[in-house]
């Protein structure tokens, strides 16, 4: 399956989102977003070494990537999104991460089906 987003890899772009983007937080995730002029969605995922060893951090990143993949049709195009995993993200269920991600996306205005807008 073709990916419909581009990964954010450049540290400068992460810092730009942290400083100038809108943010929303839950107990498990923090999301930063900012519009871009590219017309595509870009995703960056951060999991600090404080979360645990590489196996633990990679599991959290895989879960976030899968949640994003399943909901990408519900998200608006043309936005950069950085998802930062918090310590609790390693201990909670997949369903809790999914619920938190969706809630944060709606709070930040990334959800496409808001206020009567058609898909």
């Amino acid at each position: 399956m073709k990916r419909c987003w581009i990964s954010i890899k450049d540290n400068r772009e992460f810092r730009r989102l942290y400083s100038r983007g809108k943010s929303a937080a839950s107990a498990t995730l923090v999301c930063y977003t900012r519009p871009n002029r590219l017309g595509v969605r870009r995703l960056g995922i951060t999991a600090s070494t404080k979360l645990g060893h590489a196996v633990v951090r990679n599991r959290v990143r895989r879960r976030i990537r899968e949640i994003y993949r399943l909901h990408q049709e519900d998200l608006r195009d043309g936005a950069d999104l950085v998802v930062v995993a918090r310590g609790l993200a390693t201990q909670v269920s997949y369903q809790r991460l999914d619920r938190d991600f969706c809630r944060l996306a709606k709070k930040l205005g990334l959800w496409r089906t808001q206020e009567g807008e058609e898909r």
Side-chain angles (χ1 to χ4, degrees), residues 58-89:
N58 289 336
R59 184 183 315 122
V60 170
R61 279 194 287 262
R62 280 194 310 270
R63 284 179 165 190
I64 293 170
R65 215 174 301 127
E66 178 64 8
I67 290 167
Y68 183 85
R69 185 186 70 82
L70 292 174
H71 293 293
Q72 67 185 354
E73 295 301 319
D74 298 323
L75 299 173
R76 295 179 191 275
D77 290 333
D80 291 344
L81 175 65
V82 170
V83 181
V84 180
R86 288 184 155 179
L88 194 59

Side-chain angles (χ1 to χ4, degrees), residues 1-5 69-70 72-73:
M1 181 177 160
K2 182 180 163 242
R3 252 184 12 192
C4 296
W5 74 89
R69 185 186 70 82
L70 292 174
Q72 67 185 354
E73 295 301 319

Side-chain angles (χ1 to χ4, degrees), residues 73 76 112-119:
E73 295 301 319
R76 295 179 191 275
R112 186 185 301 250
T113 56
Q114 265 183 321
E115 301 169 12
E117 183 179 334
E118 292 296 320
R119 271 184 127 174

